[in-house]
Amino acid sequence: AQSVTQPDIHITVSEGASLELRCNYSYGATPYLFWYVQSPGQGLQLLLKYFSGDTLVQGIKGFEAEFKRSQSSFNLRKPSVHWSDAAEYFCAVALGAYDMRFGAGTRLTVKP
Amino acid sequence: EAGVAQSPRYKIIEKRQSVAFWCNPISGHATLYWYQQILGQGPKLLIQFQNNGVVDDSQLPKDRFSAERLKGVDSTLKIQPAKLEDSAVYLCASSLGPGLAPNYEQYFGPGTRLTVT
């Protein structure tokens, strides 16, 4: 069955530390891949997306993600986390034009 | 540029009552989406409109949920009658065009938090 898995429900990192959020998918073919961020009381904001080409994708707010076909993964990274990065992060995949599916999300807490 | 507007932001109703949510997409966006986000889960697409026509409503519980997009701009999502399991945040999103082409990014509104008691 097609699925999107974010293995970590909650992650806590110290401000200034590096961050990696994991995302794995289970699809028959390479899907389109997305990362969204949701701050409390806000809608989702697109951080970055992968459609094809270079497997290392740069996004907004200093985030990047790497697509690894062999591992069916699309992990999100940031070298130095800021307190304002505390939020919920969602990985999403789409196979086809109208079939975007979201993971359950990872909540990020940033310690001072 | 104004973002996607939704109202109300919060709503509390009793089960078996009806409720309606309103969404105003970004000007010029032809495609509009309604998502349901249950606590602890990612958003799930309920229905997608292209202008005023339905593209995909395969996950909409049609026995109680309905949605319309008259004149291809604003949209309303209705639940009648509501059940306890309908408690969720209802997100509206819009994009320039259909599908997931690289330039068809979805922009999300702040959502309506529904509590059914």
Side-chain angles (χ1 to χ4, degrees):
Chain A
Q2 300 170 343
S3 65
V4 184
T5 302
Q6 293 181 246
D8 305 304
I9 296 174
H10 183 207
I11 284 183
T12 300
V13 299
S14 298
E15 190 167 16
S18 64
L19 171 70
E20 182 170 25
L21 302 182
R22 297 182 290 164
C23 175
N24 295 95
Y25 63 89
S26 173
Y27 279 80
T30 300
Y32 300 148
L33 300 159
F34 308 80
W35 274 100
Y36 286 85
V37 61
Q38 185 177 35
S39 298
Q42 304 295 315
L44 280 74
Q45 181 183 22
L46 181 65
L47 287 175
L48 46 78
K49 57 192 174 187
Y50 172 80
F51 283 80
S52 65
D54 192 346
T55 57
L56 185 62
V57 181
Q58 301 298 320
I60 62 172
K61 304 185 179 186
F63 286 93
E64 67 176 25
E66 185 172 12
F67 168 56
K68 293 186 176 180
R69 185 190 308 272
S70 61
Q71 299 177 20
S72 297
S73 69
F74 189 57
N75 294 348
L76 182 72
R77 300 194 295 248
K78 187 169 184 178
S80 178
V81 170
H82 187 263
W83 64 267
S84 60
D85 293 325
E88 187 95 18
Y89 291 81
F90 292 93
C91 177
V93 303
L95 189 66
Y98 306 110
D99 188 19
M100 188 154 79
R101 303 192 182 196
F102 288 82
T106 297
R107 182 162 61 93
L108 174 65
T109 298
V110 181
K111 292 191 303 183
Chain B
E1 175 182 88
V4 176
Q6 290 188 247
S7 67
R9 292 294 309 274
Y10 305 91
K11 189 74 176 179
I12 301 174
I13 62 171
E14 295 181 352
K15 59 184 180 183
R16 291 187 289 274
Q17 287 186 325
S18 63
V19 64
F21 313 126
W22 174 82
C23 173
N24 181 237
I26 293 173
S27 177
H29 280 195
T31 309
L32 185 146
Y33 312 77
W34 282 103
Y35 289 86
Q36 179 191 57
Q37 185 178 15
I38 293 173
L39 185 65
Q41 300 181 18
K44 181 184 80 171
L45 180 68
L46 292 175
I47 188 168
Q48 178 182 348
F49 292 93
Q50 175 66 17
N51 295 312
N52 60 352
V54 175
V55 173
D56 179 12
D57 63 356
S58 57
Q59 298 193 83
L60 187 73
K62 299 180 186 61
D63 58 334
R64 297 183 300 107
F65 286 65
S66 64
E68 61 182 9
R69 192 184 183 198
L70 300 177
K71 302 180 182 178
V73 183
D74 293 6
S75 177
T76 56
L77 176 70
K78 297 179 181 178
I79 308 175
Q80 182 179 11
K83 293 185 175 182
L84 295 176
E85 59 261 36
D86 298 331
S87 293
V89 175
Y90 291 85
L91 296 165
C92 178
S94 70
S95 63
L96 276 172
L100 295 164
N103 57 329
Y104 286 166
E105 177 180 341
Q106 292 186 31
Y107 293 83
F108 285 79
T112 296
R113 182 177 297 278
L114 173 68
T115 302
V116 182
T117 63

